[in-house]
Amino acid sequence: MDVERLQKILARRGVASRRKAEEYITAGRVAVNGEIVRELGTRVDPDKDVITVDGKTIAKARMVYLAFHKPLYCITSKTDPQGRPTIMDFLPPAYQNLHPVGRLDWNTEGLLLLTNDGELTFKITHPSHEIKKTYLVWTEPGVGKKELEKLAGGIKLEDGETSPGRARLIEPGLIELTIHEGRNRQVRRMMGALNLPVKRLKRISMGPIELKDLPAGKFRKLTPKEIEKLKKGPGS
Ligand code: URA
């Protein structure tokens, strides 16, 4: 990893907000490799340098990346004031600090990524470089070429036209749809605009990560190769 500003590393490792971390530094409470550092913006190698605050070593934040098969009927949220089941109910205590990357509706199943890597979450979900997401959409058997072309070409929604994607028929009434945006209820609204019902909706991939045969309610760690591909960015 490259060198980074000391206050940024302290904030990322959960010591304090970046602002507070700056106060710690100027107060002489922070040392790098045993030397007190008072200068803001001091550059540090987070992989090699040993950082202490008040003499205590600051542990490296272990980044965790999970692929989770969100089951039906739970919300993509850390907590729910209404007491409904959430995705966190399916994760062990050690992973309760992770955050979902984007969201799936209550009645959508399929692949959801979870991580504590805020930078990657930002990168994946930012509208300027949203990664492609592929869904299986079960609808009525009569759906044909005309509708597929419209789904792939772009559909006018109340928040603007959808950007081009891909749509193909897998079997009568089952569409595989790939989109690049992540607007709220986007697939359901696209189908609604064509008067097509959504009988079932399942996300099967996000960028380079595929759901494959991971059972509903289960998670797996991403492989180093998958993480590397995700970090490389869109189109992967
Ligand atoms: N599009 C939707 O309409 N719902 C989802 O959960 C995901 C994509």
Side-chain angles (χ1 to χ4, degrees), residues 174-187:
L174 176 57
I175 300 169
E176 186 189 79
L177 177 65
T178 300
I179 58 174
H180 298 266
E181 302 156 296
R183 301 193 215 165
N184 196 23
R185 297 176 59 80
Q186 182 165 341
V187 175

PDB file of all heavy atoms in Angstrom, residues 174-187:
ATOM      1  N   LEU A 174     -38.579 -15.833 -18.482  1.00  0.00           N
ATOM      2  CA  LEU A 174     -37.397 -15.600 -17.617  1.00  0.00           C
ATOM      3  C   LEU A 174     -36.343 -14.792 -18.369  1.00  0.00           C
ATOM      4  O   LEU A 174     -35.776 -15.247 -19.367  1.00  0.00           O
ATOM      5  CB  LEU A 174     -36.802 -16.931 -17.136  1.00  0.00           C
ATOM      6  CG  LEU A 174     -35.516 -16.844 -16.309  1.00  0.00           C
ATOM      7  CD1 LEU A 174     -35.713 -15.975 -15.073  1.00  0.00           C
ATOM      8  CD2 LEU A 174     -35.040 -18.238 -15.884  1.00  0.00           C
ATOM      9  N   ILE A 175     -36.105 -13.561 -17.857  1.00  0.00           N
ATOM     10  CA  ILE A 175     -35.172 -12.642 -18.516  1.00  0.00           C
ATOM     11  C   ILE A 175     -33.888 -12.537 -17.692  1.00  0.00           C
ATOM     12  O   ILE A 175     -33.942 -12.478 -16.463  1.00  0.00           O
ATOM     13  CB  ILE A 175     -35.797 -11.220 -18.601  1.00  0.00           C
ATOM     14  CG1 ILE A 175     -37.101 -11.251 -19.393  1.00  0.00           C
ATOM     15  CG2 ILE A 175     -34.831 -10.210 -19.207  1.00  0.00           C
ATOM     16  CD1 ILE A 175     -37.903  -9.959 -19.284  1.00  0.00           C
ATOM     17  N   GLU A 176     -32.753 -12.477 -18.392  1.00  0.00           N
ATOM     18  CA  GLU A 176     -31.501 -12.107 -17.721  1.00  0.00           C
ATOM     19  C   GLU A 176     -31.228 -10.661 -18.108  1.00  0.00           C
ATOM     20  O   GLU A 176     -31.091 -10.344 -19.289  1.00  0.00           O
ATOM     21  CB  GLU A 176     -30.365 -13.008 -18.193  1.00  0.00           C
ATOM     22  CG  GLU A 176     -29.087 -12.758 -17.407  1.00  0.00           C
ATOM     23  CD  GLU A 176     -27.911 -13.492 -18.015  1.00  0.00           C
ATOM     24  OE1 GLU A 176     -27.382 -12.977 -19.025  1.00  0.00           O
ATOM     25  OE2 GLU A 176     -27.554 -14.557 -17.521  1.00  0.00           O
ATOM     26  N   LEU A 177     -31.183  -9.787 -17.113  1.00  0.00           N
ATOM     27  CA  LEU A 177     -31.057  -8.352 -17.380  1.00  0.00           C
ATOM     28  C   LEU A 177     -29.802  -7.797 -16.708  1.00  0.00           C
ATOM     29  O   LEU A 177     -29.584  -8.008 -15.516  1.00  0.00           O
ATOM     30  CB  LEU A 177     -32.306  -7.641 -16.824  1.00  0.00           C
ATOM     31  CG  LEU A 177     -32.356  -6.124 -16.931  1.00  0.00           C
ATOM     32  CD1 LEU A 177     -32.396  -5.665 -18.387  1.00  0.00           C
ATOM     33  CD2 LEU A 177     -33.603  -5.585 -16.211  1.00  0.00           C
ATOM     34  N   THR A 178     -28.982  -7.100 -17.483  1.00  0.00           N
ATOM     35  CA  THR A 178     -27.769  -6.478 -16.916  1.00  0.00           C
ATOM     36  C   THR A 178     -27.896  -4.964 -17.007  1.00  0.00           C
ATOM     37  O   THR A 178     -28.151  -4.420 -18.088  1.00  0.00           O
ATOM     38  CB  THR A 178     -26.515  -6.940 -17.690  1.00  0.00           C
ATOM     39  OG1 THR A 178     -26.424  -8.358 -17.584  1.00  0.00           O
ATOM     40  CG2 THR A 178     -25.263  -6.310 -17.109  1.00  0.00           C
ATOM     41  N   ILE A 179     -27.732  -4.312 -15.867  1.00  0.00           N
ATOM     42  CA  ILE A 179     -27.794  -2.844 -15.842  1.00  0.00           C
ATOM     43  C   ILE A 179     -26.535  -2.306 -15.163  1.00  0.00           C
ATOM     44  O   ILE A 179     -25.832  -3.048 -14.472  1.00  0.00           O
ATOM     45  CB  ILE A 179     -29.065  -2.314 -15.117  1.00  0.00           C
ATOM     46  CG1 ILE A 179     -29.126  -2.823 -13.670  1.00  0.00           C
ATOM     47  CG2 ILE A 179     -30.316  -2.688 -15.888  1.00  0.00           C
ATOM     48  CD1 ILE A 179     -30.276  -2.232 -12.851  1.00  0.00           C
ATOM     49  N   HIS A 180     -26.276  -1.033 -15.371  1.00  0.00           N
ATOM     50  CA  HIS A 180     -25.055  -0.447 -14.808  1.00  0.00           C
ATOM     51  C   HIS A 180     -25.352   0.546 -13.701  1.00  0.00           C
ATOM     52  O   HIS A 180     -24.447   1.009 -13.029  1.00  0.00           O
ATOM     53  CB  HIS A 180     -24.246   0.249 -15.912  1.00  0.00           C
ATOM     54  CG  HIS A 180     -23.809  -0.704 -16.972  1.00  0.00           C
ATOM     55  ND1 HIS A 180     -22.592  -1.322 -16.951  1.00  0.00           N
ATOM     56  CD2 HIS A 180     -24.459  -1.204 -18.048  1.00  0.00           C
ATOM     57  CE1 HIS A 180     -22.498  -2.142 -17.975  1.00  0.00           C
ATOM     58  NE2 HIS A 180     -23.627  -2.089 -18.665  1.00  0.00           N
ATOM     59  N   GLU A 181     -26.611   0.895 -13.580  1.00  0.00           N
ATOM     60  CA  GLU A 181     -26.962   1.874 -12.545  1.00  0.00           C
ATOM     61  C   GLU A 181     -27.518   1.154 -11.331  1.00  0.00           C
ATOM     62  O   GLU A 181     -27.775  -0.046 -11.394  1.00  0.00           O
ATOM     63  CB  GLU A 181     -28.014   2.840 -13.083  1.00  0.00           C
ATOM     64  CG  GLU A 181     -27.562   3.571 -14.316  1.00  0.00           C
ATOM     65  CD  GLU A 181     -28.753   4.027 -15.121  1.00  0.00           C
ATOM     66  OE1 GLU A 181     -29.497   3.170 -15.611  1.00  0.00           O
ATOM     67  OE2 GLU A 181     -28.939   5.233 -15.230  1.00  0.00           O
ATOM     68  N   GLY A 182     -27.733   1.889 -10.268  1.00  0.00           N
ATOM     69  CA  GLY A 182     -28.284   1.261  -9.079  1.00  0.00           C
ATOM     70  C   GLY A 182     -29.362   2.132  -8.479  1.00  0.00           C
ATOM     71  O   GLY A 182     -29.356   2.420  -7.294  1.00  0.00           O
ATOM     72  N   ARG A 183     -30.300   2.549  -9.339  1.00  0.00           N
ATOM     73  CA  ARG A 183     -31.373   3.405  -8.811  1.00  0.00           C
ATOM     74  C   ARG A 183     -32.336   2.567  -7.985  1.00  0.00           C
ATOM     75  O   ARG A 183     -32.453   1.364  -8.199  1.00  0.00           O
ATOM     76  CB  ARG A 183     -32.136   4.040  -9.966  1.00  0.00           C
ATOM     77  CG  ARG A 183     -31.261   4.874 -10.870  1.00  0.00           C
ATOM     78  CD  ARG A 183     -32.154   5.686 -11.755  1.00  0.00           C
ATOM     79  NE  ARG A 183     -31.593   5.853 -13.068  1.00  0.00           N
ATOM     80  CZ  ARG A 183     -32.285   6.276 -14.114  1.00  0.00           C
ATOM     81  NH1 ARG A 183     -33.563   6.548 -13.981  1.00  0.00           N
ATOM     82  NH2 ARG A 183     -31.701   6.424 -15.272  1.00  0.00           N
ATOM     83  N   ASN A 184     -33.057   3.277  -7.141  1.00  0.00           N
ATOM     84  CA  ASN A 184     -34.003   2.619  -6.254  1.00  0.00           C
ATOM     85  C   ASN A 184     -35.036   1.827  -7.067  1.00  0.00           C
ATOM     86  O   ASN A 184     -35.634   2.368  -7.988  1.00  0.00           O
ATOM     87  CB  ASN A 184     -34.687   3.712  -5.413  1.00  0.00           C
ATOM     88  CG  ASN A 184     -35.384   3.151  -4.223  1.00  0.00           C
ATOM     89  OD1 ASN A 184     -35.049   2.058  -3.760  1.00  0.00           O
ATOM     90  ND2 ASN A 184     -36.379   3.861  -3.728  1.00  0.00           N
ATOM     91  N   ARG A 185     -35.209   0.565  -6.744  1.00  0.00           N
ATOM     92  CA  ARG A 185     -36.198  -0.306  -7.385  1.00  0.00           C
ATOM     93  C   ARG A 185     -36.141  -0.241  -8.913  1.00  0.00           C
ATOM     94  O   ARG A 185     -37.159  -0.315  -9.603  1.00  0.00           O
ATOM     95  CB  ARG A 185     -37.610   0.060  -6.900  1.00  0.00           C
ATOM     96  CG  ARG A 185     -37.813  -0.142  -5.409  1.00  0.00           C
ATOM     97  CD  ARG A 185     -39.182   0.330  -4.939  1.00  0.00           C
ATOM     98  NE  ARG A 185     -40.259  -0.363  -5.616  1.00  0.00           N
ATOM     99  CZ  ARG A 185     -40.689  -1.568  -5.297  1.00  0.00           C
ATOM    100  NH1 ARG A 185     -40.143  -2.213  -4.286  1.00  0.00           N
ATOM    101  NH2 ARG A 185     -41.657  -2.144  -5.974  1.00  0.00           N
ATOM    102  N   GLN A 186     -34.928  -0.125  -9.423  1.00  0.00           N
ATOM    103  CA  GLN A 186     -34.780   0.129 -10.852  1.00  0.00           C
ATOM    104  C   GLN A 186     -35.374  -0.964 -11.744  1.00  0.00           C
ATOM    105  O   GLN A 186     -36.100  -0.668 -12.697  1.00  0.00           O
ATOM    106  CB  GLN A 186     -33.294   0.328 -11.200  1.00  0.00           C
ATOM    107  CG  GLN A 186     -33.102   0.637 -12.689  1.00  0.00           C
ATOM    108  CD  GLN A 186     -31.746   1.184 -12.998  1.00  0.00           C
ATOM    109  OE1 GLN A 186     -31.062   1.665 -12.110  1.00  0.00           O
ATOM    110  NE2 GLN A 186     -31.351   1.130 -14.256  1.00  0.00           N
ATOM    111  N   VAL A 187     -35.063  -2.218 -11.453  1.00  0.00           N
ATOM    112  CA  VAL A 187     -35.548  -3.292 -12.328  1.00  0.00           C
ATOM    113  C   VAL A 187     -37.076  -3.358 -12.282  1.00  0.00           C
ATOM    114  O   VAL A 187     -37.748  -3.437 -13.313  1.00  0.00           O
ATOM    115  CB  VAL A 187     -34.928  -4.653 -11.934  1.00  0.00           C
ATOM    116  CG1 VAL A 187     -35.526  -5.780 -12.756  1.00  0.00           C
ATOM    117  CG2 VAL A 187     -33.412  -4.609 -12.094  1.00  0.00           C
TER     118      VAL A 187
END
